[in-house]
Amino acid sequence: MLTIKDLSVKFPTRFGDFTAIEDVDMTIKPGEIHGLVGESGAGKSTVGAAVIGLLQSPGYVANGTLTLGDTDLRNLSPAEAHKVRGGRISMIFQDPQTSLNPLMTIERQLIETIQTHSTVSESEARNRAVDLLEEIGIKNATERIKAYPHQFSGGMRQRVVIALAISTDPELVIADEPTTALDVAVQSQVLDLIQRLAKERQIAFMLITHDIGVIAQVADRVTVMRKGRVMETGVTAQVLGKPQHHYTQQLMDSVPPLDRKIDRFRVPEADNTIASNGAMAENWLLEGSQHARTGLSLTGLSVKFAGPRTSIFRKPPPYVALDDVTLNIKPGSIMGLVGESGSGKSTLAKAITGLVTPSSGTMELGDDVLPYGKSRSRQHPSRQLTQMVFQDPYSSLNSRHRIGDILTEPLWFYGFVKDEQEREKLAASMLSLVGMQPDAISKYPHQFSGGQRQRIAVARALLARPRFLICDEPTSALDVSIQAEILNLLKDLQAKFGLTILFISHNLAVVRQMADDTAVLRSGKIEEVGETNALYTAPQADYTKSLLDLTPVMPTTWQT
Amino acid sequence: MVYFILKRMVQSVFVMLAVAFLAFSLFRFVGDPITQMTGVETSVKDQERLREELGLNDPFIYQFTRFTGDLLKGDFGFSYRTRQPVAKMIASRIPATLELGVVALIISLLVGIPAGVYTALKPRGVLTQTILMTTLVGVSIPTFVIGIMLIFIFGVQLGWLPTFGRGGTVQIGGWESSLFSVDGWRALLLPAITLGVYQLTLTMRLVRAEMTEVMRSDYIRFAMARGVPTASLHYRHALANTMVPVITIIGLQFGGVIAFSIVTESVFQWPGMGLLFLESIRFVDIPVMGVYLVVIAFFFVLVNLVVDLLYVAIDPRLRIKDVS
Amino acid sequence: MIAFVKKYEGLWLFVHSPAAIIAAIVAALIFVGAVFAPWIALVNPYDLASFSLFDGLLPPAWEDGANPKFILGTDDQGRDMISSILYGARLSLVIGLSALSIAAVLGVGLGLAAGYYGGRFDAIVMRIADVQLALPAILTALLIDGIARGILPASIQQDLRVAVLTLAIALSLWVNFARTARASTFLQMNKEYVQAAIMMGQRPTRVMFVHILPNILGPLLVIMTVDLASAILLEATLSFLGIGLPADSPSLGTLIRIGMQFLLSGEWWILWIPTLFLVALVVSINILGDFLRDVFNPRLR
């Protein structure tokens, strides 16, 4: 059993010690899956790293006790600590693509780990490794064990990682975001595996994640953290179903439900004084677009990329990113587009915006046919009418440009406002409209948080007076409470200005909250399109059904 | 994998063609080959006849093709200065330069890689800071100054080692080698160290940078979390992954070794290709300059092809197809 | 306080790095001395009338038989060592900086365009860079020097030496800039702010120079410092090999070559003092380059 008491971890900096976590208490019993949940900066991973003794230098445990069974983890010599790692405590990392040594076979990595912690012969270790791989769900393990990591798919690779982590029969496994890099189908398999291992082998799991759905599905107990402190801890159904702490309640309110649509998320709203400054921008936008609701229709759109070349003589088979996609987005509506990674969602957005050249099909914005990628001139009107909000607010704003320059660029570029001061005024007003202080205009992007940057990105898109807005995973880089704020903002703006929006996301629950219609994309093909409510309640395609089934949800009884 | 190697070969051929073109342009357009080959007493008529005989009035492409063909056959033309065949002149100089370069490269790897590993694993140690500062001074001292200093200390002040020439060499099947006699090694030591120092500092800094990156990677942290023994962690896991990029750069550095061998050979009067090249520049001996270029580029391309093969041997991702 | 320090992190690191401070002071002193050489030097080494053979071979001021007027002694012609070094450093820096500017403009321009357009243009630029790599810096410089000897009539060769040397060094350095700029541009091309600019329909030149260039300045600045050191070393090496500058307009490298004649005699200062200056200058620049690398790539710290 792992017991953590009064744990504090500090990182010395030039300005004195920075306290990463403070007074953290937690116990994990054998066979228990203990969820550790919180937003970025909560210190979840630091707890895990402190327990296994791998804090990033120069961090150190400043206070508290860490005991595993009878062993005081803080009083181990470096050699003893090294023995405990792997032997009694093990760890699973987030990204299976990077957590295996690419130059060694699975076999060598497994045998090395097993032989490190028990004195067995090589063939004995190999037998154990093969058994383990089979237990973990890798078929034909005697053959597959000879493969290198790159020969496994992402989900299989995460299984191998888990096999490595439990190959020495540890008492405790720290799983740091083990499913965040995986698609839902694979995620559900990995979560099942973790549950099975906890039950059958009585391994204690510390499951660190930001995804409350995952916690709800597999964790026996949960600890909620915020800014390095524990907010609330207890049985999962208790904490998430009847949250006692204000922060947990707020967090639960921000989680988009999969099984119904809510009008607005209950999150703190920007105050009204800011919003009133946005009148100028609001009027300016309305005068540009009030009569112009513009739809987009795609007919038989296909995009092919050159495949990787492996022979000089044969032309490589093309990689089909989009296959005969037909989609009609009604003027003034929001079309949701869901799909797993690699399904072609982003390629679709790039084809519409002209960054990628389709091989066949037509794209029409209103009544105008959009020319293909390279043949679309720089002056083409669609370049102004179509705007985009990107996924990563840290890379979508040029970090070397002032916010004012970023925001006024579309105004002079499209020739909307000739006067420079007028442009700055309008940009400042637009900032108010998206819920930011107008003085942001003289600052630089690095002075803002992710959520604030995403608001700025929305303001930039609006300053081009678009009629068609593409939101490509606009909230997947954000914490769930910030996501709720941005979704509220997008809903408000859409209602005010009648924008047509293509809303792309891998998160089915988010799309349900946003979209009037939803399309499901898989390997470049549209599996199903329909009115959102109907599609979620009565999916037609098997693929949609399985997606909906596998997405972790909270039991309906918990909803407040 | 085959495609990868073939692609690299095609690129190498391209580089060689470009260098051959450079050499040809040198020969054809820098000065007039005919006035170089003939003396003042040759009549204009004879000159014209020679020009026609040598095909210098033929179309440009035709001349270049013939030039490349001659190179492939090993016919490198004649020196303007000594009137000897260039092929013979260069061939007699190759062993000296190659031995110098290879010994220097080995010195730089034998010292540079361990030093790089050490400084990466103990970034805050006193020894690390000392090594880093020393190498910074090392890259800042010009090769010729290092040579002069070594000559001054070991040749002039202490009188331990010879300061110029190759000393005693042994003939092995036409290859004149310094490696089989004490005398030869004594003469080789100072030039090889001089040439190796600069490469050594580069190698060390590169290994350090790559190793530091690798030590932060997820698979190393995962290996630590599994309690993999430290020695295996550092050498089997981390160093192996470090070598993939390092090998590439070492291949590219070979060019640097050859280039700086010109300087080293000049300081130590080492009778290699570099010294020959310097003389040919001083006397505007274009055929020798051109052929030297081609030979150097050939070695460079060859080394980099070997590097590519090593690359394939080390990295299974290039050898074995991805299943998924 | 913390916010302030973060904003000026580079400055903070600088103030707390004694090596960088000393390097900056040394580099600045040599630089200022070189710029103001005509005003502060005791004699003009180019002007035969300003020095006298009678002052020849005087040792530095702290040795026996010195003339306190010549603090670091004189050479065999009677030239004050300090004056020769200042004028030499002046020439070395002029050549180094001009070569660097040419290489930077050429290399960054080509690298940016290669990274931006990709495809065939990129392939061509990179193949040219490959060829250039097969012929390393010293070789390129020597080659251009050789070509210049072959093409230019002897009468103007002397006058154009500085130009030829500058061009030779510039051509051997551009690849560094091109490769770094290209690699950084490739990284930036995937960033969404660049895609946003392209989608808007902005001109390629604007995307390259207004959007991408400011974001890749960090690594380029590091290359620039390191290459300034290389350029100075290269110039010294070429002059040492006797194909750089003639003896009557000596750079630091030429001074060292002249000093080599005194390696075996007692006049050590004629060789070692210019050498010390050259090494001090290059070490300082390299320390500053290392410092900049740490500032721009905190992961290696």
Side-chain angles (χ1 to χ4, degrees):
Chain A
M1 184 164 99
L2 175 77
T3 315
I4 303 175
K5 254 192 114 44
D6 297 331
L7 179 68
S8 295
V9 171
K10 291 187 175 174
F11 285 82
T13 69
R14 302 181 205 121
F15 327 109
D17 283 5
F18 163 74
T19 307
I21 53 174
E22 204 170 5
D23 297 336
V24 170
D25 295 328
M26 192 186 294
T27 53
I28 309 181
K29 295 193 197 70
E32 172 185 309
I33 300 179
H34 194 114
L36 189 53
V37 72
E39 299 188 307
S40 50
K44 318 178 288 271
S45 296
T46 309
V47 176
V51 170
I52 200 167
L54 288 177
L55 279 172
Q56 289 279 22
S57 154
Y60 67 100
V61 175
N63 191 31
T65 52
L66 288 166
T67 46
L68 180 68
D70 300 331
T71 315
D72 181 354
L73 294 176
R74 277 193 72 190
N75 270 331
L76 297 177
S77 68
E80 287 168 331
H82 201 72
K83 263 193 124 128
V84 168
R85 280 197 285 275
R88 298 181 62 193
I89 309 175
S90 204
M91 192 155 177
I92 302 170
F93 289 83
Q94 172 173 343
D95 189 354
Q97 307 291 336
T98 58
S99 41
L100 294 169
N101 184 343
L103 303 186
M104 278 166 83
T105 59
I106 304 302
E107 182 177 32
R108 291 261 33 106
Q109 301 191 41
L110 274 163
I111 290 180
E112 180 179 39
T113 310
I114 292 172
Q115 284 192 318
T116 303
H117 293 284
S118 54
T119 43
V120 290
S121 70
E122 182 154 331
S123 59
E124 172 66 26
R126 181 176 296 112
N127 288 341
R128 251 204 241 176
V130 170
D131 291 346
L132 195 62
L133 287 181
E134 258 159 18
E135 183 187 342
I136 238 81
I138 289 178
K139 294 191 186 76
N140 196 8
T142 29
E143 280 301 308
R144 296 291 280 150
I145 196 172
K146 300 214 162 28
Y148 287 94
H150 73 275
Q151 295 172 275
F152 290 91
S153 66
M156 283 297 152
R157 232 180 275 191
Q158 194 65 314
R159 282 168 196 260
V160 173
V161 169
I162 294 174
L164 270 165
I166 64 163
S167 64
T168 53
D169 277 319
E171 295 156 48
L172 171 72
V173 172
I174 296 160
D176 193 349
E177 305 271 4
T179 59
T180 307
L182 306 174
D183 280 328
V184 280
V186 185
Q187 161 170 295
S188 112
Q189 292 165 6
V190 169
L191 291 177
D192 285 350
L193 179 63
I194 288 178
Q195 271 184 306
R196 206 182 82 211
L197 290 169
K199 197 173 287 169
E200 289 173 4
R201 290 181 166 234
Q202 285 296 299
I203 298 174
F205 277 92
M206 182 191 287
L207 180 62
I208 300 167
T209 181
H210 70 282
D211 189 334
I212 292 168
V214 167
I215 298 280
Q217 184 153 328
V218 299
D220 303 308
R221 294 174 67 82
V222 61
T223 296
V224 182
M225 287 185 72
R226 182 187 189 217
K227 292 186 179 164
R229 289 177 163 274
V230 171
M231 297 286 111
E232 195 169 354
T233 185
V235 176
T236 307
Q238 183 75 44
V239 172
L240 300 186
K242 294 194 187 62
Q244 300 301 306
H245 195 279
H246 173 67
Y247 175 70
T248 319
Q249 282 168 6
Q250 215 181 310
L251 203 60
M252 293 303 290
D253 284 341
S254 311
V255 178
L258 182 65
D259 54 357
R260 72 208 147 93
K261 177 169 180 162
I262 51 178
D263 282 340
R264 285 181 71 79
F265 292 95
R266 277 178 295 178
V267 288
E269 300 287 335
D271 65 84
N272 287 329
T273 49
I274 300 183
S276 65
N277 290 329
M280 176 185 175
E282 192 171 337
N283 292 333
W284 180 79
L285 276 176
L286 284 172
E287 114 202 14
S289 65
Q290 52 191 343
H291 304 297
R293 298 195 165 190
T294 309
L296 178 94
S297 65
L298 310 173
T299 321
L301 191 71
S302 294
V303 173
K304 290 182 181 134
F305 294 123
R309 205 176 178 116
T310 51
S311 157
I312 325 175
F313 307 110
R314 262 173 297 131
K315 222 183 152 181
Y319 171 72
V320 182
L322 284 182
D323 190 1
D324 196 19
V325 168
T326 298
L327 198 60
N328 187 27
I329 308 175
K330 294 195 282 286
S333 75
I334 302 183
M335 168 67 81
L337 183 66
V338 294
E340 302 186 308
S341 54
S343 61
K345 307 185 295 281
S346 293
T347 308
L348 187 71
K350 285 182 178 171
I352 296 170
T353 52
L355 291 176
V356 154
T357 307
S359 53
S360 60
T362 53
M363 303 178 282
E364 284 166 273
L365 182 69
D367 300 325
D368 299 324
V369 174
L370 295 178
Y372 283 177
K374 288 227 167 73
S375 55
R376 191 178 303 177
S377 73
R378 286 206 303 274
Q379 290 78 25
H380 195 274
S382 73
R383 293 199 183 271
Q384 174 246 316
L385 294 175
T386 308
Q387 291 295 318
M388 191 148 161
V389 176
F390 294 90
Q391 170 173 0
D392 181 6
Y394 291 89
S395 96
S396 65
L397 305 177
N398 190 335
S399 52
R400 301 277 166 178
H401 288 191
R402 209 171 51 99
I403 301 297
D405 294 331
I406 293 171
L407 291 179
T408 51
E409 192 174 35
L411 291 177
W412 65 258
F413 187 80
Y414 296 123
F416 291 139
V417 183
K418 297 274 180 280
D419 181 58
E420 195 182 323
Q421 281 182 339
E422 202 58 17
R423 285 202 293 263
E424 293 266 326
K425 256 163 97 185
L426 187 54
S429 171
M430 188 62 81
L431 279 172
S432 308
L433 192 65
V434 298
M436 297 274 296
Q437 294 289 352
D439 67 350
I441 205 154
S442 54
K443 296 181 179 167
Y444 283 85
H446 69 86
Q447 294 169 276
F448 297 98
S449 68
Q452 289 172 316
R453 288 186 207 208
Q454 204 58 307
R455 287 177 190 268
I456 295 169
V458 171
R460 172 178 61 183
L462 290 179
L463 282 165
R465 256 184 191 161
R467 292 186 197 160
F468 179 60
L469 188 64
I470 300 174
C471 300
D472 187 0
E473 303 264 13
T475 61
S476 50
L478 305 175
D479 279 324
V480 61
S481 61
I482 309 295
Q483 162 172 288
E485 290 177 19
I486 297 291
L487 293 181
N488 276 353
L489 173 70
L490 286 172
K491 280 185 176 200
D492 292 348
L493 293 172
Q494 201 271 339
K496 263 188 202 148
F497 305 113
L499 285 166
T500 311
I501 296 181
L502 175 63
F503 190 95
I504 299 173
S505 179
H506 70 285
N507 188 328
L508 282 97
V510 166
V511 169
R512 173 141 214 198
Q513 306 312 313
M514 295 301 294
D516 301 312
D517 300 293
T518 298
V520 181
L521 196 64
R522 180 202 195 184
S523 317
K525 283 197 178 105
I526 298 271
E527 288 278 330
E528 186 172 1
V529 197
E531 197 271 315
T532 302
N533 221 0
L535 186 136
Y536 276 74
T537 46
Q540 298 303 307
D542 292 341
Y543 178 67
T544 318
K545 282 180 200 154
S546 76
L547 272 187
L548 285 168
D549 283 347
L550 296 172
T551 303
V553 286
M554 273 166 286
T556 38
T557 48
W558 290 359
Q559 276 140 21
T560 44
Chain B
M1 173 186 105
V2 176
Y3 176 72
F4 172 75
I5 301 279
L6 278 176
K7 196 173 124 188
R8 286 318 182 91
M9 283 182 148
V10 171
Q11 281 176 5
S12 308
V13 169
F14 178 86
V15 170
M16 284 313 297
L17 271 180
V19 173
F21 182 75
L22 208 66
F24 171 71
S25 310
L26 265 183
F27 170 72
R28 195 63 194 81
F29 301 117
V30 178
D32 180 13
I34 296 296
T35 42
Q36 291 285 350
M37 280 183 229
T38 56
V40 252
E41 67 277 6
T42 320
S43 69
V44 177
K45 213 173 148 200
D46 284 346
Q47 285 192 10
E48 271 314 308
R49 195 170 45 78
L50 191 58
R51 197 180 293 277
E52 192 59 42
E53 257 176 37
L54 290 175
L56 293 179
N57 293 331
D58 293 345
F60 181 79
I61 294 293
Y62 191 69
Q63 287 191 47
F64 176 57
T65 317
R66 194 169 50 213
F67 178 83
T68 314
D70 285 348
L71 283 183
L72 286 175
K73 277 185 285 183
D75 175 5
F76 293 167
F78 290 85
S79 157
Y80 290 163
R81 189 163 65 97
T82 63
R83 313 280 158 185
Q84 283 177 341
V86 178
K88 213 175 120 200
M89 290 170 72
I90 295 244
S92 71
R93 300 291 192 109
I94 285 180
T97 296
L98 268 193
E99 286 183 358
L100 176 63
V102 169
V103 172
L105 202 61
I106 290 175
I107 291 177
S108 81
L109 296 183
L110 281 185
V111 184
I113 293 177
V117 171
Y118 179 84
T119 51
L121 293 179
K122 290 214 165 39
R124 282 167 218 283
V126 179
L127 185 55
T128 297
Q129 295 306 323
T130 318
I131 293 177
L132 286 180
M133 216 52 211
T134 314
T135 57
L136 198 66
V137 176
V139 283
S140 307
I141 303 182
T143 305
F144 66 91
V145 171
I146 293 176
I148 296 171
M149 278 162 58
L150 289 178
I151 289 180
F152 187 70
I153 297 169
F154 294 99
V156 179
Q157 296 288 356
L158 299 171
W160 290 351
L161 295 165
T163 56
F164 64 88
R166 288 187 80 186
T169 54
V170 180
Q171 287 278 350
I172 294 168
W175 180 282
E176 201 180 347
S177 175
S178 313
L179 303 179
F180 297 95
S181 69
V182 179
D183 203 31
W185 273 103
R186 274 166 46 89
L188 181 60
L189 207 57
L190 289 187
I193 292 176
T194 305
L195 185 52
V197 164
Y198 185 75
Q199 302 303 321
L200 184 158
T201 52
L202 287 185
T203 308
M204 192 223 91
R205 292 179 149 251
L206 183 74
V207 170
R208 171 171 176 264
E210 292 294 336
M211 186 95 169
T212 308
E213 282 291 299
V214 170
M215 286 304 287
R216 288 169 202 262
S217 67
D218 275 357
Y219 55 84
I220 294 298
R221 298 213 303 138
F222 185 32
M224 273 186 212
R226 300 198 306 270
V228 167
T230 317
S232 167
L233 189 79
H234 288 167
Y235 300 104
R236 198 131 57 108
H237 291 264
L239 187 58
N241 278 286
T242 305
M243 287 329 279
V244 175
V246 167
I247 282 182
T248 319
I249 309 276
I250 288 174
L252 292 177
Q253 274 184 21
F254 182 77
V257 172
I258 293 295
F260 282 104
S261 79
I262 300 176
V263 182
T264 313
E265 288 177 16
S266 162
V267 174
F268 289 91
Q269 290 299 303
W270 185 261
M273 287 192 290
L275 209 55
L276 183 68
F277 180 61
L278 268 185
E279 286 162 11
S280 72
I281 285 187
R282 212 161 280 149
F283 296 100
V284 201
D285 194 349
I286 300 290
V288 178
M289 281 165 71
V291 173
Y292 176 79
L293 274 192
V294 173
V295 171
I296 291 305
F298 178 72
F299 279 128
F300 181 81
V301 159
L302 202 67
V303 166
N304 280 290
L305 270 179
V306 172
V307 163
D308 284 338
L309 286 173
L310 273 178
Y311 209 75
V312 171
I314 289 187
D315 195 335
R317 283 166 293 189
L318 285 170
R319 238 182 306 139
I320 303 162
K321 252 201 184 161
D322 201 334
V323 180
S324 56
Chain C
M1 170 66 188
I2 291 180
F4 176 80
V5 174
K6 271 195 176 147
K7 188 166 177 193
Y8 298 102
E9 187 168 18
L11 198 65
W12 193 96
L13 285 171
F14 182 77
V15 175
H16 288 75
S17 162
I21 293 176
I22 294 171
I25 291 173
V26 171
L29 278 180
I30 297 181
F31 193 78
V32 169
V35 169
F36 294 103
W39 292 277
I40 56 179
L42 207 54
V43 302
N44 178 353
Y46 303 138
D47 181 5
L48 289 171
S50 72
F51 51 87
S52 148
L53 265 177
F54 294 113
D55 295 328
L57 297 178
L58 288 171
W62 59 89
E63 298 235 330
D64 290 342
N67 178 346
K69 197 175 133 199
F70 306 111
I71 299 167
L72 295 180
T74 59
D75 65 7
D76 56 333
Q77 303 292 312
R79 276 183 291 233
D80 171 40
M81 285 308 291
I82 296 183
S83 307
S84 296
I85 288 169
L86 288 181
Y87 273 92
R90 187 180 161 90
L91 200 54
S92 292
L93 279 171
V94 164
I95 293 176
L97 286 172
S98 354
L100 190 71
S101 319
I102 299 173
V105 170
L106 186 70
V108 171
L110 280 173
L112 258 179
Y116 180 86
Y117 290 106
R120 200 151 292 168
F121 180 75
D122 174 44
I124 291 172
V125 172
M126 283 304 110
R127 287 297 85 75
I128 296 175
D130 278 355
V131 175
Q132 181 79 71
L133 273 181
L135 306 173
I138 291 186
L139 207 55
T140 314
L142 284 173
L143 201 65
I144 290 174
D145 192 88
I147 295 173
R149 275 164 203 266
I151 295 179
L152 298 174
S155 54
I156 60 166
Q157 265 190 28
Q158 288 302 321
D159 302 331
L160 285 179
R161 291 237 59 88
V162 171
V164 169
L165 201 56
T166 306
L167 184 72
I169 295 172
L171 272 184
S172 59
L173 293 180
W174 73 271
V175 180
N176 264 346
F177 284 100
R179 287 167 72 96
T180 309
R182 170 182 177 265
S184 311
T185 305
F186 261 141
L187 283 184
Q188 300 296 321
M189 285 302 284
N190 287 325
K191 297 248 172 114
E192 291 160 349
Y193 76 91
V194 177
Q195 299 193 353
I198 296 174
M199 268 168 47
M200 276 178 81
Q202 299 190 18
R203 264 179 291 115
T205 45
R206 182 176 160 85
V207 178
M208 278 187 258
F209 292 103
V210 177
H211 286 285
I212 298 177
L213 186 59
N215 283 286
I216 62 172
L217 276 183
L220 289 178
L221 200 60
V222 174
I223 292 281
M224 219 175 268
T225 326
V226 173
D227 273 9
L228 177 61
S230 308
I232 292 172
L233 281 184
L234 203 53
E235 185 277 321
T237 304
L238 290 173
S239 297
F240 172 80
L241 292 176
I243 31 201
L245 294 169
D248 58 356
S249 56
S251 70
L252 288 177
T254 321
L255 289 177
I256 297 171
R257 178 163 60 99
I258 297 169
M260 266 291 267
Q261 297 157 9
F262 300 90
L263 179 65
L264 300 177
S265 60
E267 290 84 14
W268 57 269
W269 60 91
I270 303 181
L271 169 63
W272 294 114
I273 289 180
T275 307
L276 190 72
F277 262 83
L278 175 67
V279 172
L281 177 62
V282 180
V283 169
S284 304
I285 295 173
N286 272 332
I287 289 177
L288 290 176
D290 238 37
F291 170 76
L292 285 178
R293 193 194 312 268
D294 286 353
V295 171
F296 290 115
N297 188 2
R299 279 164 65 75
L300 277 180
R301 215 180 285 149

